[in-house]
Amino acid sequence: GAGVSQSPSNKVTEKGKDVELRCDPISGHTALYWYRQSLGQGLEFLIYFQGNSAPDKSGLPSDRFSAERTGGSVSTLTIQRTQQEDSAVYLCASSRDRGTYEQYFGPGTRLTVT
Amino acid sequence: DQQVKQNSPSLSVQEGRISILNCDYTNSMFDYFLWYKKYPAEGPTFLISISSIKDKNEDGRFTVFLNKSAKHLSLHIVPSQPGDSAVYFCAASENAGNMLTFGGGTRLMVKP
């Protein structure tokens, strides 16, 4: 497909386990963003990549959260030792380049920590 | 500290009428504003945007108005259709390529 894809679509995990969420951006888009939406809330910024570099990690809520991007394409968001408050929909977006404002979102991964 | 606020959590309008969704912001450094539409279990879809140097942008049934002095923007949908029923998010950015700051969303229900 031509859009942003994310996997898995749903993930249920036990408290204390690690999870990995994957994002495939639109082909050719150099900028990639992770956001999360907790129940009843707006979207909260987590981290931004330009190419493989992350110039803005200011939104990561704790050191249990990390992300990487390889080959200027796929990105993985890792949450270690998950907590119940990590339950949310994790959304990935991509943008054509650093000079573009419009971001295009994937369908999200719904994470439930039990 | 919410820099972007959508004070109406929900709005109900009749099909064919105008829908007006409002958004307020506090950060005067924002230079670009966007509206996204979100259906359940889907990611937000980009709808329309406006630069801070403009006060109006129109795209078909959708028009966004920006009042910089009031730090207020609004999205007008005319005429409203049942398929427009969704959650609408207002977002703002300080510079191209930077993160978007989102409001809490407004749920629009268009009744046939």
Side-chain angles (χ1 to χ4, degrees):
Chain A
V4 177
S5 61
Q6 293 185 245
S7 61
S9 55
N10 280 285
K11 176 73 176 178
V12 179
T13 190
E14 291 181 354
K15 177 181 171 181
K17 302 276 190 179
D18 299 352
V19 295
E20 283 190 355
L21 312 179
R22 177 186 168 111
C23 171
D24 283 88
I26 293 172
S27 178
H29 279 198
T30 62
L32 185 147
Y33 308 79
W34 284 97
Y35 295 84
R36 73 176 176 182
Q37 185 180 19
S38 303
L39 189 63
Q41 304 294 316
L43 280 74
E44 172 192 12
F45 168 76
L46 298 177
I47 187 169
Y48 152 57
F49 287 92
Q50 178 59 44
N52 293 333
S53 301
D56 190 351
K57 305 179 183 179
S58 62
L60 294 178
S62 77
D63 59 7
R64 295 186 296 105
F65 287 71
S66 63
E68 65 174 12
R69 189 179 185 195
T70 55
S73 181
V74 172
S75 176
T76 303
L77 176 69
T78 300
I79 309 173
Q80 295 179 310
R81 305 180 303 281
T82 51
Q83 304 294 313
Q84 288 188 330
E85 61 262 28
D86 300 334
S87 295
V89 176
Y90 288 81
L91 290 154
C92 175
S94 71
S95 180
R96 191 182 64 217
D97 53 49
R98 63 192 304 166
T100 304
Y101 287 94
E102 288 80 5
Q103 298 177 17
Y104 298 90
F105 284 82
T109 294
R110 179 175 296 279
L111 174 66
T112 303
V113 181
T114 61
Chain B
D1 177 29
Q2 272 191 289
Q3 298 187 61
V4 179
K5 285 186 180 180
Q6 295 176 254
N7 291 317
S8 298
S10 64
L11 174 68
S12 181
V13 299
Q14 206 66 35
E15 181 179 6
R17 299 290 186 101
I18 184 171
S19 295
I20 300 176
L21 297 99
N22 294 302
C23 178
D24 297 294
Y25 63 96
T26 57
N27 185 349
S28 57
M29 299 300 291
F30 287 142
D31 63 355
Y32 205 82
F33 303 88
L34 307 92
W35 284 93
Y36 284 82
K37 178 168 76 171
K38 187 180 185 301
Y39 293 119
E42 295 183 11
T45 302
F46 170 70
L47 200 54
I48 192 170
S49 59
I50 188 167
S51 165
S52 62
I53 62 173
K54 297 187 175 182
D55 54 19
K56 178 182 175 180
N57 187 27
E58 191 171 352
D59 183 2
R61 297 186 297 115
F62 302 92
T63 303
V64 55
F65 295 92
L66 175 62
N67 182 333
K68 280 183 65 177
S69 61
K71 293 190 175 66
H72 177 83
L73 65 156
S74 60
L75 174 68
H76 292 211
I77 306 173
V78 184
S80 302
Q81 299 173 354
D84 296 329
S85 297
V87 177
Y88 288 78
F89 289 97
C90 168
S93 179
E94 286 191 31
N95 287 298
N98 279 5
M99 58 174 274
L100 297 178
T101 301
F102 284 85
T106 296
R107 181 178 302 277
L108 173 66
M109 292 162 284
V110 180
K111 298 180 178 178

